[in-house]
Amino acid sequence: MAASLSERDWQLREHIYQFLVEHTRPPTIGETAVVFAMTEDEARSAYQRLHDAHTLFLEPGTTEVRMANPLSAAVTPYRVTVNGRTLFANCAWDSLGIPAMLGADASIESVYTGADGSDTPSQYAIVNGTLGGDDGIVHFPLPFRRWYNDLVHT
Amino acid sequence: MLLFRSEEEVDRWCASTGEPRGETLPLQQVWELSKLWYGNRMDPDFRGRSVEQVVDGFNQAGLASEFWRP
């Protein structure tokens, strides 16, 4: 799964994740360039390498971070309150991925998708590492081998 | 991946949207999978995963069908 990335690329990735959790938004290219004492062009190239290696995903045609799984830079119907912050998950699975990644309790506002495509609210939580609240099933439409063909869709 | 109340609703949603019908997991199993999949994602020494590690994680979560194979 891991493509060829330098140690600095991995450090930059870690910084993006930490920044996103702390500030509830990803760092801009300019902010990252300052932290790593690099030019903005160098930061853009690093972002692109991280995207190409599937370690994060950029908004198509840009160098803006769209997803650092399980985190979403965009507002979604999957709102996760953890450690006093509200973060957004990419999907129902990722709504549980955030407390799993942070090793923290979380309160999750999610949605049930109806047969007609309408959403109705759902709430569940992780308390002391245990899942509670509303029940349900998560649909994985594509087999694993196809997940990276179109991550936004998946 | 979307959350549904029932398999029937998944079937009807797939039929109405034309989306592929894949596999479903109970939310509890998704929580177990999340811990395996995302638990080390912010570790400073995280360097991605090998195909073997992915398969091992799926197996630990009880996901052994062809659907979960790379």
Side-chain angles (χ1 to χ4, degrees):
Chain A
M1 302 264 98
S4 179
L5 296 173
S6 69
E7 208 37 47
R8 194 168 177 79
D9 289 338
W10 284 108
Q11 291 166 359
L12 196 145
R13 171 201 168 276
E14 184 187 355
H15 169 71
I16 292 170
Y17 269 77
Q18 289 179 342
F19 191 103
L20 183 44
V21 168
E22 184 176 350
H23 298 278
T24 70
R25 67 168 179 84
T28 64
I29 288 289
E31 288 168 332
T32 296
V34 168
V35 169
F36 285 84
M38 57 175 50
T39 67
E40 293 195 6
D41 279 347
E42 288 170 334
R44 284 190 195 91
S45 296
Y47 274 43
Q48 189 63 51
R49 286 193 296 276
L50 292 168
H51 171 89
D52 292 343
H54 297 165
T55 62
L56 53 75
F57 295 87
L58 302 177
E59 200 70 52
T62 77
T63 47
E64 294 175 13
V65 175
R66 163 74 177 263
M67 303 180 196
N69 292 333
L71 301 161
S72 170
V75 173
T76 72
Y78 309 97
R79 181 186 296 262
V80 181
T81 301
V82 59
N83 295 333
R85 295 185 179 89
T86 296
L87 301 166
F88 289 95
N90 296 298
C91 64
W93 176 16
D94 285 354
S95 71
L96 291 172
I98 291 174
M101 178 177 73
L102 297 176
D105 286 354
S107 175
I108 300 159
E109 295 173 58
S110 179
V111 292
Y112 289 115
T113 299
D116 61 356
S118 62
D119 290 341
T120 55
S122 169
Q123 288 194 324
Y124 40 93
I126 301 299
V127 179
N128 296 324
T130 300
L131 173 66
D134 290 339
D135 206 353
I137 56 175
V138 176
H139 179 229
F140 293 75
L142 300 176
F144 173 68
R145 71 179 63 85
R146 292 182 56 195
W147 286 6
Y148 295 101
N149 293 347
D150 181 352
L151 203 75
V152 174
H153 172 85
T154 301
Chain B
M1 288 63 163
L2 302 175
L3 178 68
F4 292 85
R5 292 182 189 274
S6 68
E7 298 282 354
E8 181 193 6
E9 294 214 24
V10 176
D11 290 339
R12 290 170 55 203
W13 179 81
C14 289
S16 66
T17 61
E19 294 291 329
R21 177 62 158 95
E23 291 202 358
T24 59
L25 300 180
L27 210 50
Q28 180 62 48
Q29 193 173 11
V30 175
W31 170 232
E32 299 304 322
L33 176 62
S34 295
K35 288 184 280 186
L36 292 163
W37 188 266
Y38 285 121
N40 67 346
R41 192 62 62 107
M42 283 185 70
D43 290 355
D45 59 352
F46 179 80
R47 294 293 179 271
R49 288 159 302 199
S50 67
V51 170
E52 292 75 17
Q53 288 170 320
V54 169
V55 171
D56 185 54
F58 285 152
N59 285 338
Q60 287 184 59
L63 306 172
S65 72
E66 183 63 22
F67 188 87
W68 302 99
R69 290 290 170 259

